[in-house]
Each structure stands twice: as C-alpha cells, then as structure tokens.
Amino acid sequence: MIIDTQKIEKLLGSPISGDQIEANTGIGKKTIWNYRNGKAKLYNMTIGNAYKLCLFWDENGGKEMIDVNIKGVKSAVGDFNKWQGAARIYFDNLALKAWTNVYTSPGSYDDYHDNNIVEIFSKATNNMAERDLKITMIQLKEMCAEWLDEH
C-alpha cells in the first residue's frame, strides 16, 4: 500500500470521531487529537500509524460515516465474533443500544414484542462456513445508522 497523506488529512479533518478511529485502528485518541490540533506533525507520524489511517480510510470508501452514539456496539461485536454458533445482533432504535444473543440451535430467536427492537445481523450453525462469520464495529454502526435512515 502507498501511504497517501491526502487521505490521512481528509480523515483527520472529517467528522469521524477519535473514538471511532481509535476503535478501528488501535491508534490512541490522544494521538489522533494531537494530529488534529497540530501538536503532533503529520510528517513525524510513524509509518505504522500512517498505514493504519490510510487503510481505515480506504476500507470505508472515503465516505464520511455517521457518528451515531450507539451503546453496546463493542460488546455486541465481541460477543457475536467469539461465539461459534447461532447468534443474532439486536438493535433498540429508541434507546440506541445494540446487543448479541447467542443460541444453541440455528432456528432460535428472541421474540421481542417491541417495535423499537429489530434484528440487525445474524449467523446460524447449520452452515459450517457461517459459524465463523464476523462483523466489525463499523459495519454494525453502519447497519444501525442505515436502519435509522430508512425508518
């Protein structure tokens, strides 16, 4: 990959939060804040950090992401990705909260009698390739944001 400083400048100048960049690149919020405020110069950035920031920008197509504060995203993604069985990620669009429920059989689900709770993503155990299915925090946030936009 070629390090593109223009991509890095666009990312650091975007409304994407430091929390979101940290969660997806591993670069600390303080470091990101220092780059954004000029306390740390981009020309002194490590190649590793530059690579991570470019990769993050490329993986998201350079699009500005909606920074909706959804509670439980990190936990929901962790629980979903660790479980090698049937799992469903639910989203409460009123409380802006996501969580994962895991199941012992692929057809299992929780029937929430609340129109504000929707299933966002799932995997089953009856398909061996699906049991290792994983999701990222960005993907989950985007799915929740898309659901909010559509409804």
Side-chain angles (χ1 to χ4, degrees):
M1 169 187 260
I2 296 173
I3 303 296
D4 186 341
T5 57
Q6 289 180 335
K7 290 178 185 178
I8 295 168
E9 288 171 347
K10 286 179 187 177
L11 174 60
L12 294 174
S14 76
I16 300 171
S17 73
D19 287 333
Q20 198 167 4
I21 296 170
E22 177 184 35
N24 291 280
T25 65
I27 301 170
K29 280 188 294 195
K30 185 174 181 181
T31 301
I32 294 162
W33 185 84
N34 286 338
Y35 288 134
R36 283 183 160 168
N37 292 322
K39 283 190 170 189
K41 303 297 180 196
L42 293 183
Y43 59 79
N44 286 334
M45 181 182 291
T46 66
I47 292 172
N49 282 354
Y51 175 79
K52 291 174 188 176
L53 293 172
C54 284
L55 187 62
F56 176 68
W57 185 258
D58 287 345
E59 286 177 352
N60 294 288
K63 65 184 175 195
E64 291 183 3
M65 296 181 298
I66 298 171
D67 193 21
V68 178
N69 186 18
I70 300 169
K71 298 176 211 104
V73 170
K74 187 174 184 178
S75 177
V77 168
D79 293 344
F80 186 87
N81 290 345
K82 286 178 198 167
W83 185 252
Q84 287 191 327
R88 298 176 188 274
I89 299 177
Y90 293 96
F91 173 56
D92 183 331
N93 59 65
L94 190 60
L96 294 179
K97 181 178 180 183
W99 67 93
T100 296
N101 289 349
V102 296
Y103 307 96
T104 56
S105 63
S108 300
Y109 65 94
D110 288 301
D111 191 12
Y112 292 99
H113 297 286
D114 183 342
N115 292 335
N116 296 314
I117 298 174
V118 294
E119 181 183 317
I120 294 291
F121 197 69
S122 66
K123 64 181 173 181
T125 55
N126 55 348
N127 180 343
M128 288 302 279
E130 230 180 85
R131 74 180 199 154
D132 293 323
L133 189 62
K134 301 209 183 304
I135 188 171
T136 66
M137 291 191 321
I138 289 176
Q139 290 171 324
L140 179 54
K141 283 186 82 169
E142 285 177 349
M143 288 177 188
C144 293
E146 284 174 21
W147 193 94
L148 290 170
D149 284 344
E150 294 172 4
H151 298 88

